[in-house]
Amino acid sequence: MRNLIENTDLSVEEIDELLEKADDIIANPEKYRDACRYKKLATLFFEPSTRTRLSFEAAMLELGGSVLGFSEAASSSAAKGESVSDTVKTVSCYADVIAMRHPKEGAPLVASLKADVPVINAGDGGHNHPTQTLTDLLTIHREKNRLNNMTVGFCGDLKFGRTVHSLITALSRYEGIKIALVSPLELKLPSYIKKEILKRNGIEYIQTTHLENVMPQLDVLYMTRVQRERFFNEDDYVRLKDSYILTPEKLQTAKADLTIMHPLPRVNEISVEVDSDPRACYFRQALNGKYVRMALILKLLGIEV
Ligand code: NCD
């Protein structure tokens, strides 16, 4: 039985196949309408979510399946003290596949060891977010027609941003990738990722506190929100939250074919005036999330169309 706990659970070839499948679903949605008839997806969300949970649910519904689950820990038996292991053991009796988001790093991994059905990590604390990464890879591929030979800038909260950790890990498996890390000193990319992913794979990278230093070189700019819920004290959050605000002025030195991404939700870090710039693709990115999750559900359920 396959799970998706981190991106490296999938080979590069399997990721390519998923992206191709997502492209086919976009081109021929009617082919997939009944693919998951009588199958059920459980969404177990112990942390807030809009896009991830709803795109998972929309994905299963568009495949002709059904969904069940909860959207906050308070409405599940976790509030009574039930363990993650017991919860997933139980939900395995009711669903064919589980998508779980949890504030504790490693909770979906624990769940996958106990569950009798495939478990998908829908975000675990400040660690990983593999289905956002599939969404991001599909988006980069659709916008740029390649996943290699490009400079990708990550800007914002690189310390707690799990989408950043997962995407850097995934990109490090492609040729010719250069990375620019833009963050306040307090929110730098964790050193274990620099050491185990960037250095080990020989990925060229620079770190800076100033976005304008790297803007002209970027092919992709991945903006992120300062992750308020992971801070130990509110004063630090308030001090750092508006470190970067992307505006049309700041984009003046950017490439004409820059791809501007953001996993969303956005708080303040991209001014709404940027939304009408054709290079802004974060809402297309959110839509891509549904299609790539459809492809993933089919793969984990072993359904061929
Ligand atoms: C991200 C997450 O939950 O990590 N959101 C998402 O899933 N699209 C990013 C964030 O919350 O800032």
Side-chain angles (χ1 to χ4, degrees), residues 47-49 51-52 101 122 129 132 162-163 225 227 229-230 262-265 293:
E47 251 195 359
S49 169
R51 271 148 296 271
T52 305
R101 169 169 288 189
H129 194 346
Q132 181 64 45
R162 57 193 173 196
T163 63
R225 168 181 77 90
Q227 306 278 303
E229 65 276 33
R230 317 257 178 252
H262 191 308
L264 304 177
R293 289 181 174 101

Side-chain angles (χ1 to χ4, degrees), residues 202-303:
I203 306 285
E204 206 180 296
Y205 73 95
I206 55 165
Q207 287 193 96
T208 174
T209 50
H210 287 80
L211 182 54
E212 55 270 32
N213 289 350
V214 295
M215 187 68 97
Q217 283 100 59
L218 302 181
D219 298 298
V220 173
L221 170 58
Y222 196 93
M223 295 295 295
T224 62
R225 168 181 77 90
V226 174
Q227 306 278 303
R228 179 182 204 156
E229 65 276 33
R230 317 257 178 252
F231 277 70
F232 293 112
N233 96 53
E234 181 73 7
D235 292 348
D236 285 346
Y237 168 72
V238 170
R239 186 166 50 80
L240 294 168
K241 71 182 172 61
D242 292 328
S243 299
Y244 304 99
I245 300 176
L246 189 65
T247 58
E249 296 69 54
K250 288 194 187 153
L251 283 165
Q252 274 169 7
T253 62
K255 287 189 180 171
D257 67 346
L258 174 70
T259 297
I260 307 168
M261 298 172 67
H262 191 308
L264 304 177
R266 138 179 76 184
V267 184
N268 239 347
E269 57 282 350
I270 302 182
S271 124
V272 289
E273 291 154 53
V274 175
D275 296 1
S276 53
D277 187 314
R279 294 172 292 185
C281 76
Y282 25 92
F283 291 107
R284 293 199 286 283
Q285 188 182 352
L287 176 61
N288 289 335
K290 177 181 71 176
Y291 295 116
V292 87
R293 289 181 174 101
M294 290 171 78
L296 177 66
I297 290 169
L298 289 172
K299 179 175 176 65
L300 294 182
L301 291 179
I303 295 172

Side-chain angles (χ1 to χ4, degrees), residues 82-102:
E82 187 173 51
S83 67
V84 163
S85 302
D86 286 359
T87 300
V88 293
K89 198 85 193 142
T90 307
V91 175
S92 296
C93 308
Y94 310 141
D96 302 287
V97 53
I98 292 173
M100 174 188 279
R101 169 169 288 189
H102 203 285

